[in-house]
Amino acid sequence: MLASKAQIRLKSARDLEALRRSCRLAAETLLLAGDRLRVGMTTLEIDELVHGFIVDHGAYPSPLNYHGFPKSVCTSVNEVVCHGIPSRRRLRDGDIINIDVTCKLDGFHGDTSATFFVGTPSAEARHLVEVTRRCLEIGIEQVRPGRRIGEIGRVIEAYAVAQGCSVVRDFVGHGIGRDFHEGPQVPHFGDAGRGARMEPGMTFTIEPMINLGTWELEILEDGWTAVTKDRRLSAQFEHTLAVTETGCEVLTARSRPLRHSEPTDEPPARPATDPVSG
Ligand code: MF3
Ligand code: CO
Ligand code: CO
């Protein structure tokens, strides 16, 4: 996130209905992007795909013109931590790419991202992406009324560091609703005792950015692209959530696994004469 309006706005049941719809569209857009991802495509082609799908569904791609961001989606390749600008750069075999989709439908924003494998990943890329996916999952497991926001960052940081990775500190999760970025801020590091207590009706993202090397980053000349200082790989996953009476609802949950990112149910291809399967 960027500078956020600090206020935490609790959502009504009606607000939540609208948020669910925008979040469902964001999730479907991300599924589509995963389906279409190919070695050799440009990140501009991803932008066109995402833009078209969102607009065709009566929504607006929130990044477009947001504080001057020039495109409709963020595409962050390899050492790019976040806010990568779609361009004529072609994806190469072995790249990883985070695609961060945000759309505004009926006045509410839905925000979700994932890191995908382009072609065949290296062992270290696979490790980083699996650790990052798990960081988001364990962060989500902390969400319930009465807990402090700080619990989320505490478990994420502990796990990432135990896996030999580092947690980005310059960007955090954020409240979301009628504004793209609202309160609270949701750090992916730090002390459990910090931050607001979670309450039913709060809606925010968890979006850990996890690096193989240093957590430190630099912003490129374009004023947007954040890269790791050591140019080693960075990955990110993001969901938009609502705190419920009993726990948490993942508003950007997907109807199926993401292609080129998540393990799928599809059985691995086997030769016809495989003696095990007959
Ligand atoms: N989607 C990003 C987030 O998760 C924000 C992108 S801001 C943009 O908070 F301007 F770069 F699009
Ligand atoms: Co976000
Ligand atoms: Co996002």
Side-chain angles (χ1 to χ4, degrees):
M1 61 152 268
L2 305 152
S4 77
K5 318 221 165 126
Q7 213 179 340
I8 300 177
R9 299 199 197 84
L10 297 183
K11 273 65 180 184
S12 67
R14 210 172 141 202
D15 294 341
L16 282 172
E17 269 311 314
L19 255 172
R20 269 186 205 106
R21 286 195 299 274
S22 66
C23 286
R24 192 175 311 132
L25 178 58
E28 281 170 16
T29 308
L30 196 63
L31 282 166
L32 174 70
D35 288 345
R36 298 288 180 83
L37 193 67
R38 294 283 180 277
V39 173
M41 84 189 295
T42 68
T43 51
L44 210 47
E45 290 173 306
I46 297 171
D47 183 70
E48 285 160 6
L49 177 73
V50 166
H51 180 98
F53 190 78
I54 288 173
V55 168
D56 285 350
H57 286 80
Y60 181 83
S62 310
L64 187 59
N65 300 320
Y66 182 75
H67 294 271
F69 191 80
K71 296 290 173 188
S72 297
V73 64
C74 296
T75 53
S76 301
V77 180
N78 295 340
E79 76 282 0
V80 180
V81 172
C82 64
H83 304 164
I85 302 172
S87 71
R88 293 161 72 183
R89 174 179 187 157
R90 279 188 195 284
L91 297 176
R92 298 167 57 176
D93 188 16
D95 283 347
I96 60 172
I97 179 173
N98 174 275
I99 302 178
D100 190 343
V101 172
T102 315
C103 61
K104 187 181 193 185
L105 182 63
D106 297 335
F108 285 88
H109 297 271
D111 191 8
T112 184
S113 85
T115 299
F116 299 87
F117 301 114
V118 180
T120 309
S122 66
E124 67 170 16
R126 196 177 280 280
H127 174 71
L128 175 67
V129 170
E130 293 316 319
V131 168
T132 308
R133 185 199 322 285
R134 188 73 193 128
C135 282
L136 174 55
E137 285 172 1
I138 64 178
I140 291 171
E141 287 167 8
Q142 308 312 311
V143 176
R144 71 187 63 169
R147 290 268 179 98
R148 282 194 191 275
I149 293 285
E151 289 284 352
I152 297 167
R154 184 189 66 83
V155 299
I156 290 175
E157 184 177 25
Y159 178 73
V161 168
Q163 297 299 318
C165 299
S166 68
V167 179
V168 168
R169 308 178 85 86
D170 303 60
F171 298 102
V172 298
H174 51 91
I176 185 166
R178 288 192 182 274
D179 280 308
F180 192 166
H181 296 106
E182 309 177 346
Q185 295 199 7
V186 183
H188 307 106
F189 57 90
D191 297 331
R194 297 189 50 182
R197 281 195 196 279
M198 298 180 222
E199 281 180 63
M202 273 188 192
T203 54
F204 55 83
T205 70
I206 302 178
E207 50 181 296
M209 283 147 271
I210 306 295
N211 299 349
L212 275 181
T214 180
W215 57 267
E216 290 179 284
L217 50 81
E218 288 172 7
I219 307 292
L220 299 185
E221 303 266 88
D222 60 26
W224 282 104
T225 311
V227 299
T228 55
K229 205 163 196 173
D230 58 11
R231 303 301 193 266
R232 294 188 67 196
L233 295 179
S234 183
Q236 182 179 22
F237 286 84
E238 173 176 26
H239 273 307
T240 298
L241 322 160
V243 182
T244 64
E245 296 294 334
T246 52
C248 158
E249 179 179 346
V250 180
L251 298 173
T252 46
R254 291 180 278 275
S255 53
R256 59 182 167 90
L258 277 176
R259 289 202 64 199
H260 302 113
S261 176
E262 294 175 324
T264 61
D265 297 338
E266 290 166 35
R270 288 183 188 281
T273 54
D274 185 336
V276 178
S277 65

